[in-house]
Structures are given as structure tokens and as C-alpha cells.
Amino acid sequence: MSLHPLTDTEISDIHAQLHELQVEHRDLDLVITHLIENPPPEDLLIRRLKKRKLLLKDRIIQLEEMLVPDIPA
């Protein structure tokens, strides 16, 4: 985490990036579900999509944490 507070521009950029990743994550979820429900599923493709989805989720969490101000103990 950064030691300085985020500027309005940085917060706006994070929100935009967060939205973009959330949309891609949601789209991947739909594609994965469609591939699983409509045979023949391509196992390698599904594994790759699931891996990408997990990476997106991790990045989304990182960005969301950047938007939460640190609370001094």
C-alpha cells in the first residue's frame, strides 16, 4: 500500500480500471458457463478461462483495497 493518500485522478483511474475488470470477469463467467452447459466442452479452453477469471478477481480485490483508506490502529 502507498503511504500517501490517493489523488482524485488516481481514484478515478482505479474506479475505471476496476469497472473494466469486473465487466471482463462477468463476461468470462458467462462464457465458462455456456461452454460447460453446451457440449462438447473444450477442457483446455475452460481451464484457461477459469485461470484468467481468477487472475482478474485477484486484481479486482487489489484495486478495491486501494480505494479503502487505511485506518490507524
Side-chain angles (χ1 to χ4, degrees):
M1 284 306 209
S2 151
L3 297 177
H4 65 85
L6 298 173
T7 66
D8 289 342
T9 302
E10 291 171 326
I11 290 171
S12 179
D13 290 345
I14 291 171
H15 277 294
Q17 188 176 8
L18 185 57
H19 176 72
E20 183 179 317
L21 293 174
Q22 288 169 331
V23 168
E24 185 177 353
H25 184 268
R26 190 171 34 250
D27 289 347
L28 279 173
D29 193 40
L30 293 172
V31 170
I32 291 166
T33 300
H34 176 75
L35 288 172
I36 290 171
E37 292 175 352
N38 297 295
E42 296 182 35
D43 291 337
L44 180 59
L45 175 59
I46 292 170
R47 283 197 305 270
R48 286 180 178 165
L49 291 172
K50 285 183 177 182
K51 184 175 181 178
R52 175 66 181 153
K53 185 179 164 194
L54 287 173
L55 292 172
L56 287 171
K57 185 64 172 180
D58 288 344
R59 185 63 180 142
I60 288 168
I61 290 169
Q62 288 175 342
L63 291 172
E64 288 174 339
E65 288 175 354
M66 289 176 70
L67 294 173
V68 176
D70 291 336
I71 300 172

Coordinates of all heavy atoms in Angstrom, one line a residue:
M1 N 0.8 -1.2 0.0 CA 0.0 0.0 0.0 C 0.9 1.3 0.0 O 1.9 1.3 0.6 CB -0.9 0.0 1.2 CG -2.1 -0.9 1.2 SD -3.0 -0.5 -0.3 CE -4.6 -0.9 0.1
S2 N 0.4 2.3 -0.6 CA 1.0 3.5 -0.6 C 0.9 4.3 0.7 O -0.1 4.1 1.4 CB 0.4 4.3 -1.8 OG 0.5 5.7 -1.6
L3 N 1.9 5.1 1.0 CA 1.9 5.8 2.3 C 1.2 7.2 2.1 O 0.9 7.8 3.1 CB 3.3 6.0 2.8 CG 4.1 4.8 3.1 CD1 5.5 5.1 3.5 CD2 3.4 4.0 4.3
H4 N 1.0 7.6 0.9 CA 0.3 8.9 0.7 C -1.2 8.6 0.2 O -1.5 7.6 -0.4 CB 1.0 9.7 -0.4 CG 1.0 9.1 -1.7 ND1 0.0 9.3 -2.6 CD2 1.9 8.3 -2.4 CE1 0.3 8.7 -3.7 NE2 1.4 8.1 -3.6
P5 N -2.1 9.6 0.6 CA -3.5 9.4 0.1 C -3.5 9.5 -1.4 O -2.7 10.2 -2.0 CB -4.2 10.5 0.8 CG -3.2 11.4 1.4 CD -1.9 10.7 1.4
L6 N -4.5 8.8 -2.0 CA -4.7 8.9 -3.4 C -5.3 10.2 -3.9 O -6.1 10.7 -3.2 CB -5.6 7.7 -3.9 CG -5.1 6.3 -3.6 CD1 -6.1 5.3 -3.9 CD2 -3.8 6.0 -4.4
T7 N -4.9 10.7 -5.0 CA -5.5 11.9 -5.6 C -6.8 11.5 -6.2 O -7.1 10.3 -6.5 CB -4.6 12.5 -6.6 OG1 -4.5 11.6 -7.8 CG2 -3.2 12.8 -6.1
D8 N -7.6 12.5 -6.5 CA -8.9 12.3 -7.2 C -8.7 11.6 -8.5 O -9.5 10.7 -8.9 CB -9.6 13.6 -7.3 CG -10.2 14.1 -6.0 OD1 -10.3 13.4 -5.0 OD2 -10.5 15.3 -6.0
T9 N -7.6 12.0 -9.2 CA -7.3 11.4 -10.5 C -7.0 9.9 -10.4 O -7.5 9.1 -11.1 CB -6.2 12.1 -11.2 OG1 -6.5 13.5 -11.4 CG2 -5.9 11.5 -12.6
E10 N -6.2 9.6 -9.4 CA -5.8 8.2 -9.1 C -7.0 7.4 -8.7 O -7.2 6.2 -9.2 CB -4.7 8.1 -8.0 CG -3.4 8.6 -8.4 CD -2.4 8.7 -7.3 OE1 -2.8 9.1 -6.1 OE2 -1.2 8.5 -7.5
I11 N -7.9 7.9 -7.9 CA -9.1 7.2 -7.5 C -10.0 7.0 -8.7 O -10.5 5.9 -8.9 CB -9.8 8.0 -6.4 CG1 -9.0 7.9 -5.1 CG2 -11.3 7.5 -6.2 CD1 -9.6 8.9 -4.0
S12 N -10.1 8.0 -9.6 CA -10.9 7.9 -10.8 C -10.4 6.8 -11.7 O -11.1 6.0 -12.2 CB -11.0 9.2 -11.5 OG -11.7 9.1 -12.7
D13 N -9.0 6.8 -11.9 CA -8.4 5.8 -12.7 C -8.6 4.4 -12.1 O -8.9 3.4 -12.9 CB -6.9 6.0 -12.8 CG -6.6 7.3 -13.6 OD1 -7.5 7.8 -14.4 OD2 -5.4 7.8 -13.6
I14 N -8.5 4.2 -10.8 CA -8.7 2.9 -10.2 C -10.2 2.5 -10.4 O -10.4 1.3 -10.7 CB -8.4 3.0 -8.7 CG1 -6.9 3.1 -8.6 CG2 -8.8 1.7 -8.0 CD1 -6.4 3.4 -7.1
H15 N -11.1 3.4 -10.2 CA -12.5 3.0 -10.5 C -12.8 2.6 -11.9 O -13.5 1.6 -12.1 CB -13.5 4.2 -10.1 CG -13.8 4.4 -8.7 ND1 -14.5 3.5 -8.0 CD2 -13.4 5.4 -7.8 CE1 -14.6 3.9 -6.7 NE2 -14.0 5.0 -6.6
A16 N -12.2 3.3 -12.9 CA -12.3 2.9 -14.3 C -11.7 1.5 -14.5 O -12.4 0.7 -15.2 CB -11.7 3.9 -15.2
Q17 N -10.5 1.3 -14.0 CA -9.9 0.0 -14.2 C -10.7 -1.1 -13.5 O -10.8 -2.2 -14.1 CB -8.5 0.1 -13.7 CG -7.6 -1.2 -14.0 CD -6.2 -1.0 -13.5 OE1 -5.8 -0.1 -12.8 NE2 -5.4 -2.0 -13.9
L18 N -11.2 -0.8 -12.3 CA -12.0 -1.8 -11.6 C -13.2 -2.2 -12.3 O -13.6 -3.3 -12.5 CB -12.3 -1.2 -10.2 CG -13.0 -2.0 -9.2 CD1 -12.3 -3.3 -8.9 CD2 -13.3 -1.2 -7.9
H19 N -13.9 -1.2 -12.9 CA -15.1 -1.4 -13.7 C -14.8 -2.3 -14.9 O -15.5 -3.3 -15.2 CB -15.8 -0.1 -14.1 CG -17.0 -0.3 -15.0 ND1 -18.2 -0.8 -14.5 CD2 -17.1 -0.2 -16.3 CE1 -19.0 -0.9 -15.5 NE2 -18.4 -0.5 -16.6
E20 N -13.7 -2.0 -15.6 CA -13.3 -2.8 -16.8 C -13.0 -4.2 -16.4 O -13.5 -5.1 -17.1 CB -12.1 -2.1 -17.4 CG -11.6 -2.8 -18.7 CD -10.4 -2.0 -19.2 OE1 -10.4 -0.8 -19.2 OE2 -9.5 -2.7 -19.7
L21 N -12.3 -4.4 -15.3 CA -12.0 -5.8 -14.9 C -13.2 -6.5 -14.4 O -13.4 -7.7 -14.7 CB -11.0 -5.8 -13.7 CG -9.6 -5.3 -14.1 CD1 -8.7 -5.1 -12.9 CD2 -8.9 -6.2 -15.2
Q22 N -14.2 -5.9 -13.7 CA -15.4 -6.5 -13.3 C -16.2 -6.9 -14.5 O -16.8 -8.0 -14.5 CB -16.2 -5.6 -12.4 CG -15.5 -5.4 -11.0 CD -16.2 -4.3 -10.2 OE1 -16.7 -3.3 -10.7 NE2 -16.1 -4.4 -8.9
V23 N -16.3 -6.1 -15.5 CA -17.0 -6.5 -16.7 C -16.4 -7.7 -17.4 O -17.1 -8.6 -17.8 CB -17.1 -5.3 -17.7 CG1 -17.6 -5.7 -19.1 CG2 -18.0 -4.2 -17.2
E24 N -15.1 -7.7 -17.5 CA -14.4 -8.8 -18.1 C -14.6 -10.1 -17.3 O -14.8 -11.2 -17.8 CB -12.9 -8.5 -18.3 CG -12.2 -9.7 -19.0 CD -10.7 -9.4 -19.3 OE1 -10.2 -8.3 -19.0 OE2 -10.0 -10.3 -19.8
H25 N -14.6 -10.0 -16.0 CA -14.8 -11.1 -15.1 C -16.2 -11.7 -15.3 O -16.3 -12.9 -15.4 CB -14.5 -10.6 -13.6 CG -14.6 -11.7 -12.6 ND1 -15.8 -12.0 -12.0 CD2 -13.7 -12.6 -12.2 CE1 -15.6 -13.0 -11.1 NE2 -14.3 -13.4 -11.2
R26 N -17.1 -10.8 -15.3 CA -18.5 -11.2 -15.5 C -18.7 -11.9 -16.9 O -19.4 -13.0 -17.0 CB -19.5 -10.0 -15.4 CG -20.9 -10.3 -15.3 CD -21.8 -9.1 -14.9 NE -21.3 -7.8 -15.4 CZ -20.8 -6.9 -14.7 NH1 -20.7 -7.0 -13.4 NH2 -20.4 -5.7 -15.2
D27 N -18.1 -11.3 -17.9 CA -18.2 -11.9 -19.3 C -17.6 -13.3 -19.3 O -18.1 -14.2 -19.9 CB -17.5 -11.0 -20.3 CG -18.3 -9.7 -20.6 OD1 -19.5 -9.7 -20.1 OD2 -17.8 -8.8 -21.2
L28 N -16.4 -13.4 -18.7 CA -15.8 -14.8 -18.6 C -16.6 -15.8 -17.9 O -16.7 -16.9 -18.3 CB -14.4 -14.7 -17.9 CG -13.3 -14.2 -18.8 CD1 -12.0 -14.0 -17.9 CD2 -13.0 -15.1 -19.9
D29 N -17.3 -15.4 -16.8 CA -18.2 -16.3 -16.1 C -19.3 -16.8 -17.0 O -19.6 -18.0 -17.1 CB -18.8 -15.6 -14.9 CG -19.4 -16.5 -13.9 OD1 -18.9 -17.6 -13.7 OD2 -20.5 -16.1 -13.4
L30 N -19.8 -15.9 -17.8 CA -20.9 -16.3 -18.8 C -20.4 -17.2 -19.9 O -21.0 -18.2 -20.2 CB -21.5 -15.0 -19.4 CG -22.3 -14.1 -18.5 CD1 -22.7 -12.8 -19.3 CD2 -23.5 -14.8 -18.0
V31 N -19.2 -17.0 -20.4 CA -18.6 -17.8 -21.4 C -18.3 -19.2 -20.8 O -18.6 -20.2 -21.4 CB -17.3 -17.2 -22.0 CG1 -16.5 -18.2 -22.8 CG2 -17.6 -15.9 -22.8
I32 N -17.7 -19.2 -19.6 CA -17.4 -20.5 -19.0 C -18.7 -21.3 -18.8 O -18.7 -22.5 -19.1 CB -16.6 -20.3 -17.7 CG1 -15.3 -19.8 -17.9 CG2 -16.6 -21.6 -16.8 CD1 -14.5 -19.2 -16.7
T33 N -19.7 -20.7 -18.2 CA -21.0 -21.4 -18.0 C -21.5 -21.9 -19.3 O -22.0 -23.1 -19.4 CB -22.0 -20.4 -17.4 OG1 -21.5 -20.0 -16.1 CG2 -23.3 -21.1 -17.1
H34 N -21.5 -21.1 -20.4 CA -22.0 -21.5 -21.7 C -21.2 -22.7 -22.2 O -21.8 -23.7 -22.7 CB -21.9 -20.4 -22.7 CG -22.3 -20.8 -24.1 ND1 -23.7 -20.9 -24.4 CD2 -21.6 -21.0 -25.2 CE1 -23.7 -21.3 -25.7 NE2 -22.5 -21.4 -26.2
L35 N -19.9 -22.7 -22.1 CA -19.1 -23.8 -22.6 C -19.3 -25.1 -21.8 O -19.3 -26.2 -22.3 CB -17.6 -23.4 -22.5 CG -17.1 -22.4 -23.5 CD1 -15.7 -22.0 -23.3 CD2 -17.3 -23.0 -25.0
I36 N -19.6 -25.0 -20.5 CA -19.8 -26.2 -19.7 C -21.2 -26.8 -20.0 O -21.3 -28.0 -20.1 CB -19.7 -25.8 -18.2 CG1 -18.3 -25.5 -17.8 CG2 -20.3 -26.9 -17.3 CD1 -18.1 -24.9 -16.4
E37 N -22.2 -25.9 -20.2 CA -23.5 -26.4 -20.4 C -23.8 -26.8 -21.8 O -24.8 -27.6 -22.1 CB -24.5 -25.3 -20.0 CG -24.6 -25.0 -18.5 CD -25.4 -23.8 -18.2 OE1 -25.9 -23.1 -19.1 OE2 -25.6 -23.6 -17.0
N38 N -23.0 -26.4 -22.8 CA -23.2 -26.8 -24.2 C -22.1 -27.6 -24.7 O -21.1 -27.0 -25.2 CB -23.4 -25.5 -25.0 CG -24.6 -24.7 -24.6 OD1 -25.7 -25.2 -24.7 ND2 -24.4 -23.5 -24.0
P39 N -22.2 -28.9 -24.6 CA -21.1 -29.8 -25.1 C -20.8 -29.6 -26.6 O -21.7 -29.2 -27.3 CB -21.6 -31.2 -24.8 CG -22.9 -31.0 -24.1 CD -23.3 -29.6 -24.1
P40 N -19.7 -30.0 -27.1 CA -18.7 -30.6 -26.3 C -17.8 -29.5 -25.7 O -17.3 -28.6 -26.4 CB -17.9 -31.4 -27.3 CG -18.1 -30.7 -28.6 CD -19.4 -30.0 -28.5
P41 N -17.6 -29.5 -24.4 CA -16.7 -28.5 -23.8 C -15.3 -28.8 -24.1 O -14.8 -29.9 -24.2 CB -17.0 -28.7 -22.3 CG -17.5 -30.1 -22.1 CD -18.2 -30.4 -23.4
E42 N -14.6 -27.7 -24.3 CA -13.1 -27.8 -24.5 C -12.4 -27.6 -23.2 O -12.4 -26.4 -22.7 CB -12.7 -26.8 -25.6 CG -13.3 -27.0 -26.9 CD -12.8 -26.0 -28.0 OE1 -11.7 -25.6 -27.9 OE2 -13.6 -25.6 -28.8
D43 N -12.0 -28.6 -22.6 CA -11.4 -28.6 -21.3 C -10.2 -27.6 -21.2 O -10.2 -26.8 -20.2 CB -10.9 -30.0 -20.8 CG -12.1 -30.9 -20.6 OD1 -13.2 -30.4 -20.3 OD2 -11.9 -32.1 -20.6
L44 N -9.4 -27.6 -22.1 CA -8.2 -26.7 -22.1 C -8.7 -25.2 -22.1 O -8.2 -24.4 -21.3 CB -7.2 -26.9 -23.2 CG -6.0 -26.1 -23.3 CD1 -5.2 -26.2 -22.0 CD2 -5.2 -26.4 -24.5
L45 N -9.6 -24.9 -23.0 CA -10.2 -23.5 -23.1 C -10.8 -23.2 -21.7 O -10.6 -22.1 -21.2 CB -11.1 -23.4 -24.2 CG -11.9 -22.1 -24.4 CD1 -10.9 -21.0 -24.6 CD2 -12.9 -22.1 -25.5
I46 N -11.6 -24.1 -21.2 CA -12.3 -23.8 -19.9 C -11.3 -23.5 -18.8 O -11.4 -22.6 -18.0 CB -13.3 -24.9 -19.6 CG1 -14.4 -24.9 -20.6 CG2 -13.8 -24.7 -18.1 CD1 -15.3 -26.1 -20.4
R47 N -10.2 -24.3 -18.7 CA -9.2 -24.1 -17.7 C -8.5 -22.8 -17.9 O -8.3 -22.1 -16.9 CB -8.2 -25.3 -17.8 CG -8.7 -26.6 -17.1 CD -7.5 -27.5 -16.8 NE -6.7 -27.8 -18.0 CZ -6.9 -28.8 -18.8 NH1 -7.9 -29.6 -18.7 NH2 -6.1 -29.0 -19.8
R48 N -8.2 -22.4 -19.1 CA -7.6 -21.1 -19.4 C -8.5 -20.0 -19.0 O -8.0 -19.0 -18.4 CB -7.2 -21.0 -20.8 CG -6.0 -21.9 -21.2 CD -5.6 -21.7 -22.6 NE -4.5 -22.5 -23.0 CZ -4.1 -22.8 -24.2 NH1 -4.8 -22.3 -25.2 NH2 -3.0 -23.5 -24.4
L49 N -9.8 -20.1 -19.3 CA -10.7 -19.0 -19.0 C -10.9 -18.9 -17.4 O -10.9 -17.8 -16.9 CB -12.1 -19.3 -19.6 CG -12.1 -19.1 -21.2 CD1 -13.4 -19.6 -21.7 CD2 -11.8 -17.7 -21.6
K50 N -10.9 -20.0 -16.8 CA -11.1 -20.0 -15.3 C -9.8 -19.4 -14.7 O -9.9 -18.6 -13.7 CB -11.3 -21.4 -14.8 CG -12.7 -21.9 -15.0 CD -12.9 -23.3 -14.4 CE -14.4 -23.8 -14.6 NZ -14.6 -25.1 -13.9
K51 N -8.7 -19.7 -15.2 CA -7.4 -19.1 -14.7 C -7.4 -17.6 -14.9 O -7.1 -16.9 -14.0 CB -6.2 -19.7 -15.4 CG -4.9 -19.3 -14.8 CD -3.7 -20.0 -15.5 CE -2.4 -19.5 -14.9 NZ -1.3 -20.2 -15.4
R52 N -7.8 -17.2 -16.0 CA -7.9 -15.7 -16.3 C -8.9 -15.1 -15.4 O -8.7 -14.0 -14.8 CB -8.3 -15.5 -17.8 CG -8.5 -14.0 -18.1 CD -7.3 -13.2 -18.1 NE -7.6 -11.8 -18.4 CZ -6.9 -10.8 -18.0 NH1 -5.8 -11.0 -17.2 NH2 -7.2 -9.6 -18.3
K53 N -10.0 -15.7 -15.1 CA -11.0 -15.2 -14.3 C -10.5 -15.0 -12.8 O -10.7 -14.0 -12.2 CB -12.3 -16.1 -14.3 CG -13.4 -15.6 -13.5 CD -14.6 -16.6 -13.6 CE -15.6 -16.2 -12.5 NZ -16.6 -17.3 -12.3
L54 N -9.7 -16.0 -12.4 CA -9.1 -15.9 -11.0 C -8.1 -14.8 -10.9 O -8.1 -14.1 -9.9 CB -8.5 -17.3 -10.6 CG -9.4 -18.4 -10.3 CD1 -8.6 -19.7 -10.1 CD2 -10.2 -18.1 -9.1
L55 N -7.3 -14.6 -12.0 CA -6.4 -13.5 -12.0 C -7.1 -12.2 -12.0 O -6.7 -11.2 -11.3 CB -5.5 -13.6 -13.3 CG -4.5 -14.8 -13.3 CD1 -3.8 -14.9 -14.7 CD2 -3.5 -14.6 -12.2
L56 N -8.2 -12.1 -12.7 CA -9.0 -10.8 -12.7 C -9.6 -10.6 -11.3 O -9.5 -9.4 -10.8 CB -10.1 -10.9 -13.7 CG -9.8 -10.8 -15.2 CD1 -11.0 -11.1 -16.0 CD2 -9.2 -9.4 -15.5
K57 N -10.1 -11.6 -10.7 CA -10.6 -11.5 -9.3 C -9.6 -11.0 -8.4 O -9.9 -10.1 -7.5 CB -11.2 -12.8 -8.9 CG -12.0 -12.7 -7.6 CD -13.2 -11.8 -7.7 CE -14.0 -11.9 -6.4 NZ -15.2 -11.1 -6.5
D58 N -8.4 -11.5 -8.4 CA -7.3 -11.1 -7.6 C -7.0 -9.6 -7.8 O -6.8 -8.8 -6.8 CB -6.0 -11.9 -7.8 CG -6.2 -13.3 -7.2 OD1 -7.1 -13.6 -6.4 OD2 -5.3 -14.2 -7.7
R59 N -6.9 -9.2 -9.0 CA -6.6 -7.8 -9.4 C -7.8 -6.9 -8.9 O -7.5 -5.8 -8.4 CB -6.4 -7.6 -10.9 CG -6.0 -6.2 -11.3 CD -4.6 -5.8 -10.6 NE -4.3 -4.5 -11.1 CZ -3.7 -3.6 -10.3 NH1 -3.4 -3.9 -9.1 NH2 -3.5 -2.4 -10.8
I60 N -9.0 -7.3 -9.0 CA -10.2 -6.5 -8.6 C -10.1 -6.3 -7.1 O -10.3 -5.2 -6.6 CB -11.5 -7.3 -8.9 CG1 -11.7 -7.2 -10.5 CG2 -12.7 -6.7 -8.2 CD1 -12.8 -8.1 -10.9
I61 N -9.7 -7.3 -6.3 CA -9.6 -7.2 -4.9 C -8.5 -6.2 -4.5 O -8.6 -5.4 -3.7 CB -9.3 -8.6 -4.2 CG1 -10.6 -9.4 -4.3 CG2 -8.9 -8.5 -2.8 CD1 -10.4 -10.9 -4.0
Q62 N -7.3 -6.3 -5.3 CA -6.2 -5.4 -5.0 C -6.7 -3.9 -5.2 O -6.4 -3.0 -4.4 CB -5.1 -5.7 -5.9 CG -4.3 -6.9 -5.6 CD -3.2 -7.2 -6.6 OE1 -3.2 -6.7 -7.7 NE2 -2.3 -8.1 -6.3
L63 N -7.4 -3.7 -6.3 CA -7.9 -2.3 -6.6 C -8.9 -1.9 -5.6 O -8.8 -0.7 -5.2 CB -8.4 -2.3 -8.0 CG -7.4 -2.4 -9.2 CD1 -8.2 -2.5 -10.5 CD2 -6.4 -1.3 -9.2
E64 N -9.8 -2.7 -5.2 CA -10.8 -2.4 -4.2 C -10.1 -2.0 -2.9 O -10.5 -1.0 -2.2 CB -11.8 -3.5 -4.0 CG -12.7 -3.6 -5.1 CD -13.6 -4.9 -5.0 OE1 -13.3 -5.8 -4.2 OE2 -14.7 -4.9 -5.7
E65 N -9.0 -2.7 -2.5 CA -8.3 -2.5 -1.3 C -7.6 -1.1 -1.4 O -7.4 -0.4 -0.3 CB -7.3 -3.6 -1.0 CG -8.0 -4.8 -0.5 CD -7.1 -6.0 -0.3 OE1 -5.9 -5.9 -0.6 OE2 -7.6 -7.0 0.2
M66 N -7.2 -0.7 -2.5 CA -6.5 0.6 -2.7 C -7.5 1.7 -2.5 O -7.1 2.8 -2.1 CB -5.9 0.7 -4.1 CG -4.7 -0.2 -4.4 SD -4.2 -0.1 -6.1 CE -3.5 1.6 -6.1
L67 N -8.8 1.5 -2.7 CA -9.8 2.5 -2.5 C -10.2 2.7 -1.1 O -10.8 3.7 -0.7 CB -11.0 2.2 -3.4 CG -10.7 2.3 -4.9 CD1 -11.9 1.8 -5.7 CD2 -10.4 3.7 -5.3
V68 N -9.9 1.7 -0.2 CA -10.3 1.8 1.2 C -9.2 2.4 1.9 O -8.0 2.0 1.9 CB -10.5 0.3 1.7 CG1 -10.9 0.4 3.2 CG2 -11.7 -0.3 1.0
P69 N -9.5 3.5 2.6 CA -8.4 4.2 3.3 C -7.9 3.4 4.5 O -8.7 2.7 5.1 CB -9.1 5.5 3.8 CG -10.5 5.3 3.7 CD -10.7 4.2 2.7
D70 N -6.6 3.5 4.8 CA -6.0 2.8 5.9 C -6.6 3.5 7.2 O -6.7 4.7 7.3 CB -4.5 2.9 5.9 CG -3.9 2.1 4.8 OD1 -4.6 1.1 4.4 OD2 -2.8 2.4 4.4
I71 N -7.0 2.6 8.2 CA -7.5 3.1 9.4 C -6.4 2.9 10.5 O -6.0 1.8 10.7 CB -8.8 2.4 9.8 CG1 -9.8 2.6 8.8 CG2 -9.2 2.9 11.2 CD1 -11.1 1.8 9.0
P72 N -5.9 4.0 11.1 CA -4.8 3.8 12.1 C -5.3 3.0 13.3 O -6.4 3.1 13.7 CB -4.4 5.2 12.5 CG -5.2 6.1 11.7 CD -6.2 5.4 10.9
A73 N -4.4 2.1 13.8 CA -4.8 1.3 14.9 C -4.7 2.1 16.2 O -4.0 3.1 16.3 CB -3.8 0.1 15.0

